[in-house]
Amino acid sequence: MASVIYMVAQMIRHWSEVGDEVLIHTPAYDAFYKTVYGNQRQVLEMPLQRVGLEWHCDMTALAAKLARPRCKILLLCSPHNPTGKVWTAAELQQMAELCERHHVRVISDEIHMDMMVGDRPHTPWARVARGDWALFTSASKSFNLPGLTGAWGIIPQPDDRAAWFQALKNADGLSSPAVLAVAAHIAAYRHGAPWLDALRDYLRGNLILVADRLNAAFPSLNWQPPQATYLAWIDLNPLGIAEQTLQQALIQQRVAIMPGSTYGSAGQGFLRLNVGCPRSKVEDGVSRLIAAIHASSA
Ligand SMILES: Cc1ncc(COP(=O)(O)O)c(C=O)c1O
C-alpha cells in the first residue's frame, strides 16, 4: 500500500545507484522525472514517435540505450500516460528480451490498466516478463480512490521482495496500510466491474465529443481518441501557437489544461486535457479551449 510512485521510487533505490540511468518513454508522466531526479538518478529519454495514428517505439534505438553501461532500469508506463498508448504483446515481448539481454530491470507502472477505451487489450508485464521485474498498480484511477491512497504490486523474486518490505516497513516506517484503502480496493475489485464497464463507455463518449468538436473547429488537427486513459493528448503544433500564449488565453477563458511541456520536451506544443469528468464539464472545457485557440491565433 502507500502510492504507486512511492513503490516505484523504492524499487529505483533498490535496483540502482546514485548517478545510474533510468529509461523512460517520453513524453512521460511528470512524476517519473521527479522521482528519478529526486533520487539522484538520471533520466534516459526514449522518445516515442507518432506513425499515423499510432505511437511507436523504435526498438533499435531502444536497444542502443539499454546497452549503455549506466542504464539499469526501464520504468515502463503501461498503458502510457500521456499518449494513451496501449503496448502490444509483441512490443512488450521485444522490450522484455532487450532488457534481459542488457541486464536492465523493469518496473512496470500499470495504474491505467483498467482505462481501456479502444479495442486493444492490456497485456500485463507479468505475461511477457524475463529477468528481474516489478509491477505496481492501484485501483485509484479506475475507481477514483486516490484520496484514500493505496497501491499494490508484484515483486516476484523473494530477495527483492524482502529488501523492498524491509525498506518500506523499517527504513520508512510504513508498517501498515491505510485500512480504508484496503477495504476500498477489495470492494472495488469484488463489486465494481459493471460500474467500471459503464465508466469506460462514458469516457469513450467524452473522448468522441472532444474529437468531434476539435476537428470541426480545426480540421488540420485530426485528433483521434486514445487507446487507453481518460486523457486527451492533443498535438496543437499544426496550429503554430506558442505554448505561453495559449496558456494565457486559457487563463482568460478560465479553464486549466496542462501544457504538454509538463511531460518533457517531447510534449512541446501539446495539451493534456483530462476528460474524467461529467460530459457537461467536457463540453464547457472544449468550448473554452476552442475559444482560447482562436484568441491565440488572432
Ligand atoms: C502513470 C501514473 N503513475 C502513477 C500515478 C499516481 O499514482 P499514485 O498517486 O498512487 O502515486 C499517476 C497519476 O496520474 C500516473 O498517471
Side-chain angles (χ1 to χ4, degrees), residues 3-6 29 32 77 81 109 111-112 140-141 150-151:
S3 77
V4 169
I5 292 300
Y6 170 83
Y29 173 46
F32 277 19
C77 191
N81 173 5
D109 174 339
I111 198 169
H112 292 280
S140 63
K141 296 281 174 219

Side-chain angles (χ1 to χ4, degrees), residues 86-170:
V86 176
W87 298 95
T88 64
E91 287 172 321
L92 293 169
Q93 261 152 14
Q94 217 176 336
M95 286 196 283
E97 280 166 25
L98 291 173
C99 286
E100 189 186 37
R101 187 180 313 155
H102 296 293
H103 309 289
V104 170
R105 285 150 162 151
V106 178
I107 304 173
S108 189
D109 174 339
E110 303 192 10
I111 198 169
H112 292 280
M113 65 188 181
D114 294 319
M115 299 285 102
M116 311 308 290
V117 288
D119 298 331
R120 186 176 297 160
H122 171 67
T123 304
W125 185 260
R127 206 167 283 162
V128 300
R130 293 153 164 254
D132 292 339
W133 59 280
L135 184 164
F136 298 118
T137 189
S138 171
S140 63
K141 296 281 174 219
S142 325
F143 296 96
N144 201 12
L145 307 175
L148 297 176
T149 74
W152 58 272
I154 305 171
I155 306 171
Q157 300 85 350
D159 288 355
D160 287 331
R161 196 163 57 240
W164 189 87
F165 271 117
Q166 150 76 18
L168 178 91
K169 287 172 177 272
N170 297 347

Side-chain angles (χ1 to χ4, degrees), residues 214-279:
L214 262 189
N215 295 337
F218 309 104
S220 66
L221 293 183
N222 187 26
W223 185 80
Q224 303 298 323
Q227 296 161 343
T229 79
Y230 43 81
L231 304 167
W233 181 240
I234 306 169
D235 184 2
L236 294 177
N237 285 302
L239 303 179
I241 306 167
E243 188 170 281
Q244 265 316 311
T245 312
L246 180 59
Q247 282 297 318
Q248 283 307 316
L250 288 168
I251 291 167
Q252 295 291 322
Q253 288 293 329
R254 298 190 193 288
V255 60
I257 307 178
M258 297 300 277
S261 58
T262 309
Y263 309 96
S265 55
Q268 195 71 42
F270 284 72
L271 276 184
R272 199 193 75 165
L273 174 70
N274 187 330
V275 304
C277 59
R279 191 151 304 154

